[in-house]
Amino acid sequence: MVCTSPPAEQTTTSPASVCFHCGLPVPQTQPYRLTVDNEERYFCCPGCRAVTEAIVAGGLTDYYRYRSAPAHAVETDEVHSAIDWQVYDQPAIQRGFVHAKDEHIRSASLLLEGIVCAACVWLNERHVGALPGVQAFRVNYSTQQAYVEWDERVISLGGILEAIAAIGYRAYPFDTGRRETLFQRERATALRRVTIAGLGAMQVMMLALALYIGDFYAMDAASRQLLRWISLIITVPVLIYASRPFFQAAWRGLRHWQLGMDVPVALAIVAAFSASAWHTWLGSGEIYFDSVTMFTFLLLGSRFLEMNSRQRAWRIAEQQVRMLPATAVRLTGEGIEETVAVADLRPGDRVLIRPGATIPADGRIVEGASSVDESLLSGESLPLCKSKGDALVGGAVNVESPLLMRIEKVGADTVLATLVRLMERAGGEKPHWAQLADRVAGWFVGGVLLIAIGVAGWWALHDPDATFAITLSVLVVTCPCALSLATPTALTAATAQLTRRGLLATRQNALEVLARVTHVVFDKTGTLTQGRFQLLDVMAIRDQDERHCLALAAALARASEHPISRAVNAACQGERLPEAVSLSNIPGAGMEGHIGGLCYRLGRPDFVQALSGSSTHLELPIEPGATVVALGDTQGLLGWLRLADTLRPESRKVVEELKAMGLDVSLLSGDRVETVREVASQLQIGQARGGMSPADKLTHIQALQRQGAIVAMVGDGVNDAPVLGGASVSLAMGHGTQLAHAAADMIILSGDLRALVIGVRVARSTLGIIRQNMAWAVGYNLFALPLAAAGWIAPWAAALGMSLSSLLVVANALRLTASR
């Protein structure tokens, strides 16, 4: 590679007219040069030359072979401005978007600007992925969003951003404002294309009507030729500008040896325009300018509707990010109010929430009582009553009275941040339905092209004059646009509907599996029940004092977020507790720790009894519906704690409706068998098992799956996480732990089990609509193809039929957004 700069006095015309990198005109004076692959290239500015130099130095010159559009122009100072990117290495800046995976590995979502084709994605992934210290770098072409993981000991985030800038792109921390800007830009561009195509179609159709009428009233040849030339001139901007996305997509696919649905579209448009232009030049023969403009307009119109539906679904999800305010009112130690940025809040801060204000972070009320509106977060339409000690979630709105809250979680640790990360994960996946539709569309296009060739050959032998028009009709009428839109439009509409109803899909395959579920397995505590235990009494053994037993139990429970632990802690609120060390939580069993040098356990009776090595059968104090936990040490049992939980008011109705849908409902719980049987009896659940560990639950679900069952698991806690991960599809309650959320495929944000029933219904409706759309798309083509091949459908009619078919698919999918 040889890099040369022109002398300052050079004023000769550049041998190349456009920049090799960005395609902009090369200046008449001082063209910038660089030898690439033994050939001298010219550039419009030193920035583009520097970017190309970086690409060539990295051994990535294949980018210039495979790109389908020029890169965006580079500002001269954009490439070497390292100081700009080093700003993003500051901890205060990173706090809002960088997440720690372990001690040294960090991850972040970025928004890339300048992505114009698949080759841009390839270039960025190769270039950034080869940087030392970068663990992973993935780019989503459709959303222009990138995910990066790096080792901060080897490379900084600023270094990664600088490396991206060095090849001509710009990366920023992902935020909804920039996403919204991209959406608006995409929509504005699409609207301009639709407008130009629509105006062109209207004008050309009027001229075509005049030409058709002229056939009956002997229009003179000069007037006819004038109308044909005017039609050509009007069609040119439709071809060059409005139809450009079809040509780019088709060329991109062909360069990667893929037959996308835009291949027959682009082929039909180019062929129709070329033949029409040639016939206009000759002054004789058929012209199809009306078909070109109308085909382009109707197809762009249907895609514009699909784009609006997709963006609307993203906006519904991103409302959760915009719910957080920019500032909050923090109280100092002296009680003085100060307005600070939400990003500056820390755990332990006291924040004043005035009526009508948005809660800035997660925490608990320390003073006051009010109603809180969580509708945008959970889908719950009625405000919830909150008082001292109740949890508040960032993004909810205080309705009535002032509240004083203590911040517990900020930034990436909040509920909203977790949900956003899960939504980003879902957005990067493609459901099996969509993958199948893409594969079918690819084979379908290949078949259509072969049929078109066969039809053209047959008509060339029997009626050469009709060959072109009939072949054109075959290409247009069989465009698989409806087939490719059948799945994504339905999934987008269904996801938007479920999000509004408080059910968030964090995996794209969740709807597909939920529609085919045969068994629903519930956890008990916090799922079918409220998960708000109240301590009934303490039964001491071995001459122990009841208050002492309760204090020991609370000391062990203070490190756990289990509903039982919270109830035990609430019973000792304000009391001085003994110090417990070496605390450990054994999922499905209980807590263990050391107090005063002795080892204690709190939890299931068999777990507690195992500490002393005793095998004596324990007689549990039985009370219908009550939960009993044991407290013991190395000498044996110290006492019993009896707690009561209440069923959710909607649990019975939900179980009945699930059964009415033909689903098999069962209950698996780690609670004692008698309590589980009592709950199952109240809910009329035939299959119920108690005393099960997470491993036992997982084994039971796997046994069902081996028998061919498709199992949905509903749970809420840490204990449920492995089971949620092993089920065919899993749902976590909105109030559950972040670990449960991460393991689940869907989250019931509202905490209302009726969302599960709605989810099953919407999933089944979605599957039905996808099947209807697929059947219509295939059936329409099977019906229209023979008619077009026989010459019974004119090109303009083929364009109208294909576009209306696509619009019908979109309209059918949008039925899923209707209230249920």
Side-chain angles (χ1 to χ4, degrees):
M1 179 184 69
V2 180
C3 184
T4 60
S5 298
E9 66 274 7
Q10 181 173 343
T11 59
T12 57
T13 303
S14 171
S17 59
V18 296
C19 176
F20 176 67
H21 179 72
C22 71
L24 292 179
V26 171
Q28 293 290 327
T29 59
Q30 292 188 343
Y32 298 91
R33 306 174 186 174
L34 178 69
T35 300
V36 180
D37 289 341
N38 299 320
E39 185 174 349
E40 192 171 46
R41 302 292 186 180
Y42 293 84
F43 303 88
C44 64
C45 65
C48 285
R49 187 186 66 179
V51 167
T52 303
E53 186 176 4
I55 292 173
V56 173
L60 301 171
T61 52
D62 282 346
Y63 161 71
Y64 291 108
R65 298 190 183 96
Y66 298 132
R67 64 177 180 173
S68 58
H72 78 299
V74 181
E75 297 295 335
T76 303
D77 61 350
E78 182 176 331
V79 180
H80 299 293
S81 56
I83 185 66
D84 294 336
W85 305 117
Q86 290 174 353
V87 172
Y88 292 102
D89 292 333
Q90 299 178 14
I93 300 295
Q94 293 187 359
R95 187 165 59 238
F97 69 97
V98 174
H99 312 293
K101 298 201 69 176
D102 56 35
E103 185 178 358
H104 299 291
I105 305 300
R106 302 291 182 264
S107 66
S109 290
L110 305 175
L111 193 62
L112 282 181
E113 289 188 3
I115 299 293
V116 296
C117 66
C120 297
V121 175
W122 176 87
L123 173 62
N124 276 275
E125 290 183 342
R126 289 292 186 91
H127 179 68
V128 179
L131 296 175
V134 174
Q135 307 287 321
F137 187 76
R138 298 187 295 271
V139 180
N140 186 318
Y141 172 68
S142 61
T143 63
Q144 299 189 3
Q145 187 173 344
Y147 174 80
V148 60
E149 290 182 9
W150 72 96
D151 188 335
E152 64 176 2
R153 295 171 298 180
V154 181
I155 191 171
S156 67
L157 177 61
I160 296 173
L161 299 181
E162 183 181 3
I164 294 174
I167 56 173
Y169 300 86
R170 306 205 61 161
Y172 302 93
F174 175 80
D175 66 73
T176 55
R178 290 187 181 275
R179 166 67 65 81
E180 184 65 26
T181 299
L182 288 180
F183 277 172
Q184 292 176 356
R185 187 184 307 163
E186 180 186 13
R187 189 177 187 279
T189 302
L191 189 58
R192 283 196 299 268
R193 296 188 195 279
V194 171
T195 301
I196 290 176
L199 291 174
M202 287 189 292
Q203 300 301 319
V204 173
M205 286 299 293
M206 287 191 294
L207 296 174
L209 180 61
L211 289 171
Y212 294 148
I213 295 175
D215 290 338
F216 298 97
Y217 293 94
M219 179 185 292
D220 62 274
S223 299
R224 177 178 295 276
Q225 189 64 5
L226 175 63
L227 294 180
R228 291 159 72 101
W229 276 105
I230 294 176
S231 298
L232 186 151
I233 293 172
I234 295 175
T235 305
V236 167
V238 177
L239 177 78
I240 295 177
Y241 181 73
S243 300
R244 184 179 177 185
F246 307 137
F247 303 141
Q248 289 177 330
W251 182 240
R252 187 184 305 124
L254 291 174
R255 292 182 79 98
H256 291 83
W257 299 96
Q258 295 177 350
L259 289 176
M261 70 175 183
D262 287 308
V263 172
V265 172
L267 186 59
I269 291 174
V270 170
F273 179 83
S274 300
S276 301
W278 177 247
H279 291 162
T280 300
W281 175 263
L282 294 178
S284 62
E286 290 290 332
I287 58 172
Y288 308 99
F289 296 124
D290 54 343
S291 297
V292 171
T293 55
M294 185 171 64
F295 180 43
T296 302
F297 169 65
L298 293 175
L299 187 54
L300 286 174
S302 63
R303 292 190 180 184
F304 182 74
L305 291 177
E306 187 274 333
M307 179 195 69
N308 279 342
S309 175
R310 171 169 47 85
Q311 290 186 358
R312 187 161 54 247
W314 272 105
R315 287 190 180 98
I316 290 173
E318 289 179 350
Q319 278 182 344
Q320 302 184 42
V321 183
R322 292 197 292 269
M323 288 191 299
L324 288 181
T327 61
V329 179
R330 182 171 62 188
L331 298 185
T332 65
E334 295 76 24
I336 300 175
E337 297 181 7
E338 59 177 1
T339 300
V340 298
V342 169
D344 293 332
L345 292 177
R346 295 291 181 271
D349 286 348
R350 294 185 304 155
V351 174
L352 177 64
I353 313 296
R354 294 190 173 95
T358 301
I359 298 169
D362 295 355
R364 291 189 180 274
I365 299 174
V366 295
E367 184 179 316
S370 182
S371 296
V372 176
D373 182 1
E374 298 181 351
S375 58
L376 284 179
L377 175 67
S378 67
E380 173 61 51
S381 58
L382 297 177
L384 304 175
C385 295
K386 300 281 187 176
S387 59
K388 183 178 179 180
D390 288 340
L392 295 176
V393 178
V397 178
N398 181 23
V399 177
E400 298 169 342
S401 305
L403 293 173
L404 184 62
M405 70 175 293
R406 187 178 303 279
I407 301 298
E408 293 182 347
K409 295 179 180 179
V410 296
D413 296 329
T414 62
V415 171
L416 279 178
T418 302
L419 296 180
V420 169
R421 288 196 296 271
L422 294 175
M423 285 187 292
E424 289 175 358
R425 180 183 72 181
E429 299 173 346
K430 179 172 283 191
H432 296 314
W433 287 336
Q435 295 174 9
L436 176 61
D438 290 345
R439 289 195 297 268
V440 170
W443 286 101
F444 187 85
V445 169
V448 165
L449 294 178
L450 291 176
I451 292 174
I453 293 173
V455 169
W458 192 93
W459 282 99
L461 296 176
H462 295 81
D463 188 355
D465 293 338
T467 300
F468 183 81
I470 293 174
T471 305
L472 180 61
S473 296
V474 169
L475 284 174
V476 172
V477 83
T478 55
C479 173
C481 297
L483 185 65
S484 294
L485 290 173
T487 296
T489 50
L491 290 175
T492 300
T495 301
Q497 168 69 348
L498 290 178
T499 303
R500 282 197 296 268
R501 302 301 294 269
L503 185 60
L504 176 68
T506 63
R507 296 281 189 189
Q508 282 291 348
N509 284 327
L511 273 177
E512 176 184 351
V513 181
L514 190 61
R516 300 183 289 109
V517 158
T518 59
H519 290 63
V520 178
V521 177
F522 287 99
D523 176 49
K524 181 182 71 70
T525 305
T527 304
L528 290 173
T529 66
Q530 298 278 9
R532 300 172 187 167
F533 282 91
Q534 289 185 342
L535 181 65
L536 298 179
D537 56 29
V538 178
M539 301 174 61
I541 305 175
R542 290 169 42 193
D543 298 327
Q544 295 290 320
D545 178 75
E546 293 180 355
R547 295 306 300 178
H548 179 63
C549 286
L550 181 58
L552 292 174
L556 294 171
R558 65 183 172 85
S560 172
E561 287 297 319
H562 192 279
I564 291 178
S565 298
R566 290 201 295 265
V568 173
N569 284 317
C572 289
Q573 190 171 7
E575 296 185 14
R576 182 164 184 166
L577 302 177
E579 183 180 0
V581 297
S582 303
L583 288 170
S584 60
N585 182 7
I586 293 81
M591 297 291 300
E592 179 180 307
H594 289 76
I595 301 174
L598 298 178
C599 184
Y600 293 87
R601 282 185 178 181
L602 174 71
R604 285 171 43 180
D606 56 340
F607 167 71
V608 173
Q609 191 177 23
L611 181 62
S612 63
S614 173
S615 59
T616 304
H617 177 71
L618 295 177
E619 293 292 337
L620 275 67
I622 297 176
E623 180 176 324
T627 296
V628 179
V629 295
L631 172 70
D633 58 13
T634 54
Q635 302 301 314
L637 193 66
L638 291 174
W640 303 101
L641 285 77
R642 290 195 306 167
L643 304 98
D645 194 5
T646 56
L647 289 175
R648 292 181 179 275
E650 74 274 10
S651 293
R652 183 188 297 273
K653 183 66 174 177
V654 168
V655 171
E656 290 177 355
E657 293 188 10
L658 291 176
K659 287 181 178 180
M661 293 180 183
L663 300 178
D664 190 310
V665 180
S666 57
L667 171 60
L668 303 180
S669 176
D671 208 342
R672 64 192 184 96
V673 175
E674 293 81 6
T675 303
V676 174
R677 286 176 180 172
E678 176 65 21
V679 172
S681 175
Q682 294 181 40
L683 299 178
Q684 298 182 352
I685 297 177
Q687 301 181 35
R689 297 188 181 184
M692 301 188 75
S693 66
D696 295 333
K697 296 178 183 178
L698 183 58
T699 300
H700 180 80
I701 286 178
Q702 291 172 341
L704 291 175
Q705 291 171 330
R706 284 193 295 269
Q707 297 171 12
I710 300 176
V711 183
M713 174 68 192
V714 189
D716 77 322
V718 174
N719 297 348
D720 299 318
V723 194
L724 292 171
S728 306
V729 62
S730 53
L731 299 94
M733 303 300 288
H735 63 267
T737 64
Q738 291 192 8
L739 182 58
H741 289 172
D745 301 308
M746 308 182 84
I747 301 174
I748 304 176
L749 297 174
S750 62
D752 190 332
L753 286 175
R754 286 173 292 190
L756 171 59
V757 177
I758 294 173
V760 174
R761 287 175 178 164
V762 171
R764 290 182 175 183
S765 297
T766 304
L767 179 58
I769 284 180
I770 288 177
R771 287 171 175 168
Q772 293 170 11
N773 286 348
M774 297 287 281
W776 166 259
V778 174
Y780 161 77
N781 282 282
L782 292 177
F783 173 77
L785 179 58
L787 299 180
W792 293 350
I793 299 180
W796 67 268
L800 181 62
M802 186 282 307
S803 300
L804 291 179
S805 175
S806 298
L807 289 174
L808 180 63
V809 164
V810 173
N812 190 38
L814 291 179
R815 291 194 297 117
L816 289 166
T817 61
S819 297
R820 291 174 178 269

